[in-house]
Amino acid sequence: LWDTSGQPLKTLEGHRDPVTHAAFSPDGKLLVTASGDGTARLWDVKQRGVQAHEFIGHTGSTLIAIFSPDSKYVLTVSADKTARLWDARTAETIRIFTGHENSIQSAAFSRDGKTLLTGSSDTTLRLWDVETGKEIRRFLGHTTDVRSVALAPDGKTALSTSLDATA
């Protein structure tokens, strides 16, 4: 954890394998890290990186961890082909999104937090209803791994990037 002048504030330790991703909560009070050890960890920013929770449940590397727009939830995606929604306060699993046939590489919430977009090495994007966990729509068109996804602020347009050299 650094201050923007370049001074180190704290080294966040605890993962057993490489840390693959990190993100601040929208309210700036928390941050989350994802790791190849299959876990994600929640850290308190005000307390200079004191660990608050560990999210355990994936059976493969945790590749990405992000917050919902209201900071109430953490979403993790994994090489185990699932995305998991967690309560940020309790670290309890709220929902597991299943259906991808290969590692999920990226995820993005809609601005209102009601929908979720995931992109996978199975070449698909999937749009999910966060409340029910049901797949709303599947996007096809890439010929190899989807590496990154984004939703426009109005929630009406999705963007994906792929190893097939297209966006």
Side-chain angles (χ1 to χ4, degrees):
L1 190 60
W2 306 84
D3 77 15
T4 55
S5 72
Q7 295 300 311
L9 298 174
K10 174 141 187 182
T11 300
L12 307 177
E13 298 179 280
H15 286 293
R16 295 171 300 283
D17 282 327
V19 177
T20 56
H21 191 260
F24 280 96
S25 61
D27 64 14
K29 295 178 181 177
L30 302 168
L31 61 92
V32 65
T33 54
S35 172
D37 65 14
T39 69
R41 293 174 187 251
L42 189 73
W43 310 86
D44 187 312
V45 175
K46 280 191 170 193
Q47 293 184 27
R48 300 262 171 132
V50 170
Q51 183 178 315
H53 295 298
E54 183 176 20
F55 303 97
I56 300 172
H58 285 295
T59 59
S61 296
T62 304
L63 303 173
I64 302 288
I66 61 173
F67 286 92
S68 61
D70 60 7
S71 301
K72 290 181 182 178
Y73 303 103
V74 169
L75 182 89
T76 56
V77 302
S78 174
D80 71 6
K81 308 174 194 173
T82 68
R84 290 178 180 255
L85 187 68
W86 311 83
D87 184 302
R89 288 182 312 105
T90 65
E92 291 180 35
T93 301
I94 303 298
R95 190 154 292 99
I96 301 173
F97 300 87
T98 61
H100 279 291
E101 297 173 11
N102 208 328
S103 299
I104 301 174
Q105 299 290 325
S106 184
F109 280 101
S110 60
R111 183 178 274 177
D112 64 8
K114 293 182 180 181
T115 56
L116 170 69
L117 183 66
T118 56
S120 170
S121 293
D122 69 8
T123 75
T124 69
L125 289 75
R126 296 177 192 227
L127 189 66
W128 307 88
D129 181 297
V130 172
E131 180 69 27
T132 66
K134 303 286 184 199
E135 184 180 313
I136 298 168
R137 187 162 297 109
R138 191 173 307 180
F139 302 80
L140 305 172
H142 287 294
T143 59
T144 191
D145 304 38
V146 174
R147 298 301 291 197
S148 179
V149 297
L151 280 168
D154 66 4
K156 294 181 180 179
T157 308
L159 175 66
S160 60
T161 65
S162 172
L163 295 180
D164 66 12
T166 66

